[in-house]
Amino acid sequence: MGYLTREKHAVVTQAVAEAESKTSGEIVTVLADRSDGYTDVILVWAAGFAFTAMSLFAAFPEPFLNLWDNLVGGWGTDWTTGGIATATILLGLLTFASSWLLLSIDTLRFLCIPSPVKEARAHDAAIRHFKVGAERRTHGRTGVLLYLSMREHRAEIVADEAIATRVPAEVWGEAMVDMLAEVSKGCIAEGLAAGVRDVGIVLAEHFPRDADDQNELPDRLIEV
């Protein structure tokens, strides 16, 4: 189940068509649920929790051992060095497994991902989509990709070679602001459409539409 209905998809498609009617540039829009699975991040957190639990057990074994005796209803266990070592390893394994399972829940997982990591993964994902869907796929290398990742709350605008050499990256700031202003209110399609319109204005200024210009890339929103 995607984020947008067919009608909302049409809002973005119409905005792309209107923007491209004034420019030789081509605009591609991508809406992603997430930019990455973050399996490596989960692994680091789970290992960190496991190591912390084992370190606490090694430093303060008595509370853990007393808790174990209370749980099994014993009178006190005569713990050997080997038994304590085994308990330490088991505690680490249980902590690792439980942490992994908990962080497999999307809500908890994304709370534990540092903001710079989210930003970097969203940027990398935008570049990948751009290389596949827009880079050097137009006659004049005038493709622009608008990428919006919902889980990370991140957006990217990536431009092809001909555009990047003539339009500084800072110029796309207004498009980003207008797009995220709508998205933050839950108006995803309207936000993408606003970003497309702003990008279209910039492209029309630097790359006006030729009389024989053809639509080289699809106008539809790509939802992944």
Side-chain angles (χ1 to χ4, degrees):
M1 190 69 167
Y3 282 92
L4 301 180
T5 63
R6 183 178 301 178
E7 291 75 17
K8 292 297 184 180
H9 271 259
V11 170
V12 181
T13 300
Q14 181 63 29
V16 173
E18 291 178 358
E20 291 182 350
S21 68
K22 303 178 180 66
T23 176
S24 59
E26 295 285 338
I27 302 173
V28 177
T29 54
V30 176
L31 173 63
D33 173 59
R34 67 193 67 198
S35 297
D36 193 70
Y38 300 99
T39 303
D40 56 333
V41 178
I42 294 178
L43 177 62
V44 171
W45 276 107
F49 286 134
F51 180 78
T52 300
M54 293 169 69
S55 298
L56 288 173
F57 179 75
F60 309 102
E62 288 300 326
F64 290 92
L65 298 179
N66 291 336
L67 176 62
W68 172 258
D69 286 337
N70 290 332
L71 289 175
V72 299
W75 291 90
T77 304
D78 186 14
W79 290 92
T80 63
T81 302
I84 292 178
T86 301
T88 304
I89 295 172
L90 287 175
L91 177 63
L93 291 174
L94 288 173
T95 303
F96 181 89
S98 58
S99 299
W100 182 279
L101 289 174
L102 285 173
L103 292 177
S104 296
I105 301 172
D106 280 343
T107 303
L108 296 177
R109 180 189 314 185
F110 280 90
L111 284 175
C112 292
I113 299 171
S115 182
V117 175
K118 292 180 183 178
E119 187 172 347
R121 299 293 170 89
H123 178 74
D124 291 344
I127 296 297
R128 287 197 304 272
H129 284 289
F130 176 72
K131 288 181 179 295
V132 172
E135 185 179 35
R136 300 184 180 183
R137 293 189 61 187
T138 61
H139 177 70
R141 295 185 180 179
T142 54
V144 177
L145 179 135
L146 278 75
Y147 176 80
L148 180 62
S149 187
M150 298 303 295
R151 294 281 185 176
E152 287 83 0
H153 296 170
R154 296 292 188 277
E156 294 277 341
I157 297 178
V158 186
D160 216 333
E161 182 179 354
I163 297 174
T165 57
R166 297 175 61 179
V167 181
E170 298 77 24
V171 173
W172 308 119
E174 183 176 350
M176 293 285 284
V177 170
D178 290 343
M179 176 167 60
L180 295 179
E182 293 294 331
V183 172
S184 64
K185 297 186 293 186
C187 304
I188 301 172
E190 291 75 10
L192 285 166
V196 166
R197 285 191 291 269
D198 289 347
V199 169
I201 292 173
V202 175
L203 291 178
E205 178 183 351
H206 294 276
F207 301 91
R209 185 180 177 87
D210 298 326
D212 60 346
D213 186 77
Q214 297 182 353
N215 190 15
E216 299 177 90
L217 297 176
D219 297 339
R220 65 180 179 83
L221 170 65
I222 302 170
E223 192 168 356
V224 294

